[in-house]
Amino acid sequence: VTARVLIVDDIPANVRLLEARLSAEYFDIQTAPSGLTALERCFAGGIDVVLLDVMMPGMDGFEVCRRLKSDPRTQHVPVLMVTALDQHSDRVRGLEVGADDFLSKPVDDVQLIARVRSLARLKQLTDELRARARTGGELSAESLMEASNDIDADNARILVIEPETRQARRLVELLGARHNLEVLADPGDAAATVASGDFELVLLGMALGEHDPLRIASQMRTMEQTRTLPIILIAEEVDRARVVRGLDLGINDFILRPIERSELLARVSTQVRRHRYGQALRDSLSNTLALAVTDELTGLYNRRYFDRHLSLMLEKARQQQREMAVLLIDMDYFKSINDSHGHDIGDSVLREFSLRLRRNIRGVDLPCRFGGEEFVVLMPDIDISRAEGVAERVRAAVAERPFPGQGQRDLNLTISVGLARNELADETPDSLLKRADVALYRAKREGRNRVVFDAA
Ligand code: GH3
Ligand code: MG
Ligand code: MG
């Protein structure tokens, strides 16, 4: 995960230190010397994680955090607060104003990277969820947006793997009021327990006798049901080297003993939220794909789905430097079919046409009803001569065989096709469709029942 991190601190030496460490991990860094500047940067957008010093002259970190979390533009931007060591009251206040996690000064490298990474992942998921809510079907947009605002981190089902009774009890004390904990004393049962239970988080002790916690974690990562299940290691300072290995293996985060309540709560909610967002995202994907994206009459994809995918595919084609094409298809003299045979026959012609269209394009092509008697096909990874071949095949499939009309009467129909490919350096959905439209217009003017390609 790469992300843009805003470092907020009034002391330039602190900023430089954090910047050097995070840049080495390929994070993209911005800096702000004061709370007010930080707010401006965040409201302008594009910040993924805020690393926020508490002690600053003028507006302090708490106030910055409070304002970020109460503004709809920034409430989803994770805030990592940097507090003085052993300032317990700072953390409690931090939680109250909505901080997502904490670091103490002097900042430890491993903790810094682990926290920023874990918050960057969370941000990536919320961004994706919000983007889907915006571009997804209207039906689900509202509920999705609601979902992304409503997803909290309470009442999570958490599995504690910890053979040492006293340690386990301590975790239950700290988290029991907000979450549902189940303690597993025998780590040998971990894989089976985790696979059969519906857990949202695993807290994994490091002292498991003959069992290796990292092996247990990597087992969970390889099993289908638990691949995305968040894992937090509960470690001692002496475990540091193994913690680093664990983070490389995909363990999400760690917390060092002695465990501080506010820190544990914050870290647990970050992981639970990430997990719940991920789940909502997967659900939304299957919902939007199934419900809101097809055209009722023809069963082809609808315009909204097409618009969304055209911009995604253009972007992908640009990144991979591949050619792609669009066909814009319009029925010739369709109005006269309606006029002389009625609207129902018109509808059945549209349905029959979409069957023929589907049969004559490639499996990877995306056929959509653009509106009325206009259709569009999105063709990834194709050069223009092959695209012309496909368009010609569709044209022939319409012109060469009559459509069934009322009674025994056959209807003869033709289509005109405009063809365009991605070829401008700054190609947009609009510029591409515009050329396809110009080509279609030419096809009509030059006598209909033909395919015309319009080069930029
Ligand atoms: P051209 O060759 O210039 O495209 O002529 P045209 O008659 O096809 O063009 P025009 O755009 O003027 O007419 C399109 C017609 O398509 C008008 C409308 O009645 C008909 N139409 C649009 N949507 C539907 C539909 O869902 N069902 C039916 N039956 N007809 C539709
Ligand atoms: Mg038309
Ligand atoms: Mg027409």
Side-chain angles (χ1 to χ4, degrees):
V1 190
T2 173
R4 180 170 298 157
V5 180
L6 179 67
I7 300 172
V8 189
D9 199 313
D10 56 307
I11 300 172
N14 288 349
V15 173
R16 278 197 300 275
L17 200 67
L18 293 168
E19 186 173 12
R21 288 166 174 182
L22 289 170
S23 298
E25 297 292 318
Y26 305 105
F27 288 106
D28 174 11
I29 306 301
Q30 294 204 358
T31 64
S34 73
L36 273 178
T37 319
L39 286 176
E40 270 168 31
R41 289 278 161 73
C42 290
F43 290 148
I47 301 295
D48 296 311
V49 176
V50 182
L51 195 54
L52 183 59
D53 185 33
V54 168
M55 293 262 288
M56 290 185 293
M59 192 187 295
D60 70 7
F62 298 119
E63 182 57 19
V64 175
C65 186
R66 195 189 61 73
R67 294 200 193 184
L68 288 174
K69 292 296 178 179
S70 55
D71 191 301
R73 288 171 293 176
T74 50
Q75 68 193 30
H76 298 268
V77 180
V79 174
L80 181 49
M81 278 202 152
V82 184
T83 63
L85 192 61
D86 295 333
Q87 277 301 325
H88 175 70
S89 55
D90 277 2
R91 300 195 165 192
V92 172
R93 264 192 84 190
L95 276 186
E96 281 166 8
V97 294
D100 295 87
D101 208 337
F102 305 97
L103 278 175
S104 340
K105 282 183 189 171
V107 172
D108 171 87
D109 271 4
V110 177
Q111 301 202 18
L112 172 70
I113 305 299
R115 306 287 172 265
V116 171
R117 238 184 233 157
S118 132
L119 292 174
R121 284 206 188 97
L122 177 67
K123 174 65 164 36
Q124 202 179 30
L125 280 169
T126 53
D127 282 354
E128 182 71 31
L129 197 60
R130 285 154 69 89
R132 284 245 169 101
R134 255 176 265 125
T135 57
E138 229 130 51
L139 275 177
S140 53
E142 254 185 326
S143 54
L144 253 180
M145 215 44 174
E146 249 166 45
S148 83
N149 285 330
D150 279 0
I151 290 176
D152 60 24
D154 285 341
N155 289 315
R157 292 177 304 280
I158 300 175
L159 181 68
V160 176
I161 304 179
E162 176 58 75
E164 165 60 90
T165 320
R166 209 171 39 86
Q167 304 280 22
R169 202 181 303 137
R170 171 101 180 110
L171 289 170
V172 174
E173 267 167 34
L174 291 170
L175 293 170
R178 272 181 71 179
H179 302 287
N180 307 314
L181 277 75
E182 187 175 321
V183 176
L184 179 67
D186 181 1
D189 297 338
T193 309
V194 143
S196 60
D198 198 7
F199 296 105
E200 299 174 282
L201 173 67
V202 172
L203 297 180
L204 184 57
M206 295 286 288
L208 304 183
E210 70 201 82
H211 299 280
D212 177 358
L214 299 191
R215 185 170 302 277
I216 291 176
S218 63
Q219 246 173 9
M220 289 183 205
R221 283 290 168 268
T222 55
M223 290 190 300
E224 182 61 32
Q225 312 96 299
T226 53
R227 226 164 12 103
T228 61
L229 183 65
I231 304 171
I232 299 180
L233 285 176
I234 310 289
E236 308 276 349
E237 185 57 46
V238 295
D239 298 320
R240 175 164 295 270
R242 284 194 303 156
V243 166
V244 173
R245 281 218 53 208
L247 293 171
D248 287 339
L249 286 173
I251 287 174
N252 304 75
D253 207 345
F254 68 99
I255 186 159
L256 292 178
R257 292 201 172 98
I259 296 171
E260 221 224 337
R261 182 162 187 271
S262 48
E263 209 177 308
L264 179 65
L265 280 174
R267 228 148 277 169
V268 163
S269 2
T270 295
Q271 295 305 330
V272 169
R273 259 161 58 217
R274 191 184 66 76
H275 188 62
R276 290 182 179 177
Y277 281 134
Q279 199 58 50
L281 201 54
R282 280 185 289 275
D283 292 351
S284 83
L285 191 62
S286 40
N287 285 346
T288 37
L289 288 191
L291 291 176
V293 301
T294 49
D295 168 57
E296 236 177 304
L297 180 70
T298 62
L300 300 180
Y301 290 103
N302 63 20
R303 175 71 184 263
R304 189 170 37 216
Y305 187 80
F306 171 80
D307 286 343
R308 184 166 82 200
H309 273 261
L310 178 53
S311 41
L312 290 176
M313 292 180 93
L314 260 179
E315 188 50 41
K316 203 167 149 199
R318 188 190 343 264
Q319 278 167 7
Q320 305 181 339
Q321 303 195 308
R322 300 255 175 95
E323 285 183 61
M324 56 168 289
V326 290
L327 303 185
L328 192 56
I329 304 171
D330 189 286
M331 303 254 159
D332 296 330
Y333 303 121
F334 192 71
K335 198 168 171 307
S336 70
I337 302 271
N338 276 332
D339 290 349
S340 47
H341 303 270
H343 202 264
D344 287 352
I345 293 294
D347 280 359
S348 77
V349 166
L350 292 174
R351 270 195 294 266
E352 169 67 18
F353 167 72
S354 31
L355 289 179
R356 293 188 193 186
L357 175 63
R358 254 203 266 249
R359 278 202 293 267
N360 286 283
I361 58 179
R362 304 171 307 164
V364 293
D365 297 333
L366 192 77
C368 311
R369 186 168 179 208
F370 205 52
E373 30 78 81
E374 277 186 58
F375 296 82
V376 63
V377 182
L378 191 53
M379 313 175 95
D381 281 333
I382 197 167
D383 62 40
I384 199 63
S385 67
R386 279 176 67 213
E388 269 175 317
V390 174
E392 180 54 35
R393 196 161 70 209
V394 174
R395 187 204 60 75
V398 174
E400 285 170 5
R401 214 151 35 87
F403 283 63
Q406 210 144 33
Q408 300 302 320
R409 284 169 57 198
D410 281 343
L411 296 174
N412 289 307
L413 248 115
T414 57
I415 57 171
S416 298
V417 185
L419 182 58
R421 69 169 167 206
N422 61 331
E423 51 190 314
L424 302 179
D426 57 346
E427 197 79 76
T428 63
D430 282 348
S431 63
L432 187 65
L433 282 174
K434 183 82 213 305
R435 284 203 307 285
D437 198 46
V438 169
L440 173 61
Y441 182 71
R442 251 179 65 206
K444 292 277 185 193
R445 219 179 33 207
E446 290 171 8
R448 293 178 172 78
N449 190 23
R450 67 193 62 220
V451 176
V452 170
F453 164 56
D454 194 43

